[in-house]
Amino acid sequence: MNESDGGREDPLDAGKMNEIMDHLYAGQKIQAFKEYRDSRGVDLKTAKEFVEKLELELREKTPDRFSAKSGCAGILIAAMAGAYYLAEMLT
């Protein structure tokens, strides 16, 4: 994305952009939001808009780079935590 992002004129440096892209490829969209917000000092809405637009572009250009289990890890962790909590309550 070469245009200005988040209303700022200066582009993200290549290293920071690669970090954000790596988070997206790994299915870590929330981490990508945080990384963008921290680097740009923008609000969540602006970060979400930028990251989601970037994700769409990346999915068009390089769909094979995205993790096949994208998004499933959070559900699995929550289910395991819930099961552990329930087991602790019953013992």
Side-chain angles (χ1 to χ4, degrees):
M1 298 180 63
N2 294 333
E3 63 200 45
S4 68
D5 50 282
R8 292 181 57 163
E9 297 298 322
D10 52 330
L12 279 173
D13 68 55
K16 193 56 71 175
M17 181 63 89
N18 285 336
E19 286 180 43
I20 292 168
M21 290 167 50
D22 287 344
H23 288 307
L24 288 173
Y25 288 137
Q28 302 168 342
K29 191 184 285 190
I30 292 173
Q31 192 61 33
F33 294 155
K34 289 179 183 178
E35 199 70 46
Y36 185 78
R37 285 186 73 194
D38 290 347
S39 67
R40 305 306 285 180
V42 297
D43 61 16
L44 180 59
K45 181 179 184 268
T46 302
K48 183 177 183 290
E49 289 170 355
F50 176 84
V51 169
E52 288 182 343
K53 182 177 178 184
L54 176 61
E55 181 183 26
L56 287 174
E57 290 176 10
L58 293 173
R59 284 190 183 276
E60 273 185 27
K61 293 177 185 175
T62 55
D64 55 314
R65 297 263 331 255
F66 284 84
S67 171
K69 297 184 182 200
S70 179
C72 295
I75 294 170
L76 180 59
I77 291 169
M80 290 173 56
Y84 176 77
Y85 179 76
L86 183 61
E88 287 295 313
M89 294 281 298
L90 295 174
T91 56

